[in-house]
Amino acid sequence: MNNANNISCVDIVCGLAWGDEAKGKITSELVQKGTYDFVCRWAGGNNAGHTIYVDEKRYKTHIVPCGVFHNIPSIIGPGCVVHPESFIQEIQYLYENGFDTSYVKISPRAHVITEQHIQYDCNNLYSSIGTTRKGISACYADKALKKGQLCKDEPSLQEFIWDEILFGAVLCEGAQGFWLDLDKGNYPYNTSSTTIPYGACSLGFPPQKIRHLYGATKIYDTRSGNDPDFPEQLLDDLTLSKIVFLGKEYGVTTGRKRKVNWMNLNKLIHAIQVSGTTRVIVSKVDILQQLNLLKLYEGKILHTFDTYEQMKSYIIYVIRSKCPMVEKITFSSSPHNI
Ligand code: IMP
Ligand code: MG
């Protein structure tokens, strides 16, 4: 079993919004610069979609953590759910692209997503909730009902089972985002796992080991799936549609057009405070700059700024005054790196 004393530090990347905040970009940049011994996923399954650039080439993953691109052990944690067939397909894809997939490991306690879970999701939840149809909630439900199937008992996953040992420096890669969390999200429109960073401790370390908490967001909000907080009319808004097109706001996993709205600053502040984020990364600022659409909501007030610099200064000012634990705020316009 894991001896937590052998872990020197843990950095965490989490989403501060509704997923799709460029966590993949941030994690892969940290992996390249840092000296991590492990890269771990702590929650969710192949409902996630990470876009990763390695040597200018674009890769898409759904369940495998991005350490595999840099020969770092990549752990799918006990809080994750795995669809064996999709996992093996992803392994095949990585192998064919020249990556050493022996670095990928799955917790023996992660749960298996079965065809019945997927059927349940497609037949009962997709039309009302707008799920990703990956069987996520049914799998977590069976886990809680003690009817679940563990990855350690699934023959096709045997060679990938993790010995549950962590040591050195650990990077945890979040999936989904703060407002999709099972407890904090807009129930029942949220996902079924703990997306907030404290969930990462399920990998086997105490909260005291956490060093940096990177919180990812975009300069505008997006939502894939149904949510009364993101009414369908947003899809018909001609101004917001410009952001959908220029920002390429289509789901990596589902291909669906995402609903776009102006940044909700109060929600962002709450997510920073509750997640414990110490380093904020605001991505895709070039999209609003190019369109010269410089707006954000603070409560019900819609602020409009004359220049991008003014908007940026205002965001920095509000974060600094309300979130004293934030050490660093970075604005990024690159799809590849920060
Ligand atoms: P589920 O996780 O497939 O059950 O979907 C529940 C809700 O979370 C739906 O609104 C999905 O669109 C949303 N969701 C789940 N995973 C992601 C993600 O990785 N990015 C964005 N939205 C997601
Ligand atoms: Mg994504």
Side-chain angles (χ1 to χ4, degrees):
M1 207 192 287
N2 191 35
N3 178 351
N5 292 331
N6 296 333
I7 298 170
S8 57
C9 66
V10 177
D11 291 342
I12 302 183
V13 178
C14 70
L16 294 172
W18 291 265
D20 312 313
E21 311 99 335
K23 294 180 294 291
K25 165 181 96 170
I26 296 163
T27 321
S28 58
E29 188 164 331
L30 287 171
V31 167
Q32 285 171 65
K33 287 187 177 162
T35 47
Y36 295 105
D37 297 289
F38 291 90
V39 182
C40 311
R41 270 275 301 269
W42 78 81
N46 59 333
N47 49 345
H50 287 175
T51 308
I52 307 238
Y53 289 85
V54 183
D55 300 330
E56 299 292 307
K57 206 175 160 220
R58 184 170 186 240
Y59 299 96
K60 286 180 182 185
T61 59
H62 296 283
I63 183 72
V64 175
C66 75
V68 69
F69 294 108
H70 304 281
N71 293 344
I72 301 173
S74 296
I75 312 295
I76 297 167
C80 294
V81 289
V82 179
H83 182 246
E85 208 171 299
S86 313
F87 169 78
I88 299 292
Q89 267 175 25
E90 200 165 309
I91 289 289
Q92 197 68 30
Y93 161 80
L94 292 166
Y95 180 79
E96 282 163 11
N97 280 285
F99 299 103
D100 185 348
T101 52
S102 68
Y103 284 103
V104 180
K105 296 290 168 204
I106 304 175
S107 165
R109 303 156 202 256
H111 276 247
V112 172
I113 302 174
T114 64
E115 297 316 308
Q116 287 92 308
H117 294 148
I118 295 172
Q119 279 308 315
Y120 184 90
D121 197 2
C122 292
N123 297 338
N124 300 282
L125 298 172
Y126 173 63
S127 60
S128 54
I129 309 281
T131 64
T132 60
R133 290 188 279 187
K134 302 294 180 191
I136 303 299
S137 53
C139 183
Y140 280 112
D142 274 351
K143 175 180 176 178
L145 283 170
K146 326 294 180 201
K147 303 198 301 191
Q149 188 182 326
L150 297 173
C151 286
K152 74 174 171 61
D153 300 324
E154 167 71 43
S156 66
L157 303 178
Q158 279 313 309
E159 63 177 296
F160 297 99
I161 296 301
W162 178 40
D163 59 9
E164 297 189 274
I165 291 172
L166 278 182
F167 55 82
V170 177
L171 180 66
C172 299
E173 177 182 305
Q176 288 83 42
F178 186 92
W179 294 109
L180 289 176
D181 179 77
L182 180 57
D183 299 303
K184 289 295 288 183
N186 191 8
Y187 186 90
Y189 301 95
N190 46 356
T191 192
S192 304
S193 61
T194 300
T195 64
I196 300 177
Y198 72 84
C201 293
S202 63
L203 285 157
F205 58 84
Q208 287 88 344
K209 295 284 180 185
I210 300 171
R211 181 178 60 174
H212 303 309
L213 257 151
Y214 296 86
T217 195
K218 285 189 296 212
I219 199 152
Y220 51 85
D221 288 342
T222 61
R223 178 69 158 104
S224 13
N226 305 347
D227 190 332
D229 289 343
F230 285 76
E232 296 296 311
Q233 296 91 285
L234 289 170
L235 290 169
D236 305 326
D237 185 300
L238 293 178
T239 308
L240 294 171
S241 293
K242 291 182 187 168
I243 302 175
V244 175
F245 293 124
L246 191 63
K248 300 193 183 75
E249 295 299 345
Y250 302 91
V252 174
T253 301
T254 58
R256 293 178 292 185
K257 188 173 166 184
R258 297 174 183 145
K259 274 161 276 186
V260 168
N261 206 349
W262 310 111
M263 172 192 277
N264 184 323
L265 189 54
N266 290 359
K267 279 207 140 116
L268 174 62
I269 295 295
H270 185 76
I272 294 171
Q273 290 174 341
V274 173
S275 62
T277 292
T278 57
R279 299 179 171 194
V280 180
I281 297 110
V282 183
S283 287
K284 289 197 148 174
V285 302
D286 55 316
I287 305 298
L288 295 197
Q289 267 179 307
Q290 278 184 47
L291 294 168
N292 197 32
L293 292 171
L294 306 166
K295 294 175 197 279
L296 60 79
Y297 277 109
E298 197 173 11
K300 292 213 156 68
I301 304 166
L302 182 62
H303 294 290
T304 303
F305 300 87
D306 291 331
T307 66
Y308 165 67
E309 286 306 320
Q310 280 176 13
M311 181 168 179
K312 180 176 164 181
S313 304
Y314 190 71
I315 295 170
I316 293 173
Y317 162 75
V318 176
I319 295 176
R320 288 252 171 264
S321 51
K322 298 195 172 168
C323 312
M325 66 290 191
V326 170
E327 305 159 354
K328 214 169 169 182
I329 308 168
T330 306
F331 289 77
S332 167
S333 58
S334 163
H336 301 217
N337 50 42
I338 309 165

